């Protein structure tokens, strides 16, 4: 599976962005998917994950820092995952990465495939 993230940009605090992660490969629907982010000088951190629809009904999980503001979704027909980000804050500034793995996990080592990242910058 090859992943390509897009949709990043510069937005004022309080604004919204939608990130997309397009995947190649016929097995997209068999993978749990996740978003992670890495701010300058910080470790990569979990943002959100969504499970395999046929196994978990597409269950989702979120980091506490984004719960209620971000929504993860997937479209298995379009082989694309999304992250709708609302009420953005300067501390959301980071490079956002999409990933595909087996469990619906918040742990980066559980993800096998990674996209190249898209930069999100939130101005105050």
């Amino acid at each position: 599976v090859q992943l390509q993230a897009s949709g990043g940009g510069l937005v004022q605090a309080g604004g919204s962005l939608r990130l997309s992660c397009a995947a190649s490969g016929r097995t997209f629907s068999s993978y749990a998917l996740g978003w992670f982010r890495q701010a300058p000088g910080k470790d990569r951190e979990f943002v959100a994950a969504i499970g395999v629809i046929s196994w978990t009904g597409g269950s989702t999980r979120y980091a506490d820092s984004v719960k209620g503001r971000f929504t993860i979704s997937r479209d298995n027909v379009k082989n694309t995952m999304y992250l709708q980000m609302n009420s953005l804050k300067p501390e959301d500034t980071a490079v956002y990465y999409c990933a595909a793995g087996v469990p619906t996990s918040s742990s980066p080592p559980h993800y096998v495939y990674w996209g190249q990242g898209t930069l999100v910058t939130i101005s105050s």
Side-chain angles (χ1 to χ4, degrees):
V1 176
Q2 291 184 319
L3 304 173
Q4 183 165 355
S6 63
L10 173 63
V11 176
Q12 286 190 328
S16 298
L17 275 176
R18 188 175 81 155
L19 304 184
S20 299
C21 178
S24 63
R26 294 179 294 174
T27 58
F28 174 81
S29 61
S30 300
Y31 287 95
L33 305 171
W35 287 99
F36 293 79
R37 66 187 182 186
Q38 188 165 17
K42 295 188 176 182
D43 293 335
R44 189 169 298 190
E45 66 173 0
F46 170 73
V47 175
I50 186 166
V52 177
I53 292 176
S54 60
W55 301 345
T56 70
S59 63
T60 58
R61 57 191 300 184
Y62 297 91
D64 289 343
S65 59
V66 306
K67 204 170 292 183
R69 300 188 298 122
F70 291 11
T71 302
I72 188 172
S73 61
R74 65 189 298 166
D75 184 332
N76 288 343
V77 174
K78 295 182 178 180
N79 277 11
T80 303
M81 171 177 62
Y82 304 97
L83 185 68
Q84 178 66 44
M85 306 186 296
N86 298 328
S87 302
L88 284 161
K89 304 175 181 180
E91 52 263 42
D92 294 319
T93 294
V95 177
Y96 283 70
Y97 298 89
C98 56
V102 177
T104 312
S105 173
S106 61
S107 176
H110 289 160
Y111 289 83
V112 179
Y113 303 102
W114 290 84
Q116 85 289 359
T118 184
L119 177 62
V120 172
T121 304
I122 311 303
S123 63
S124 57

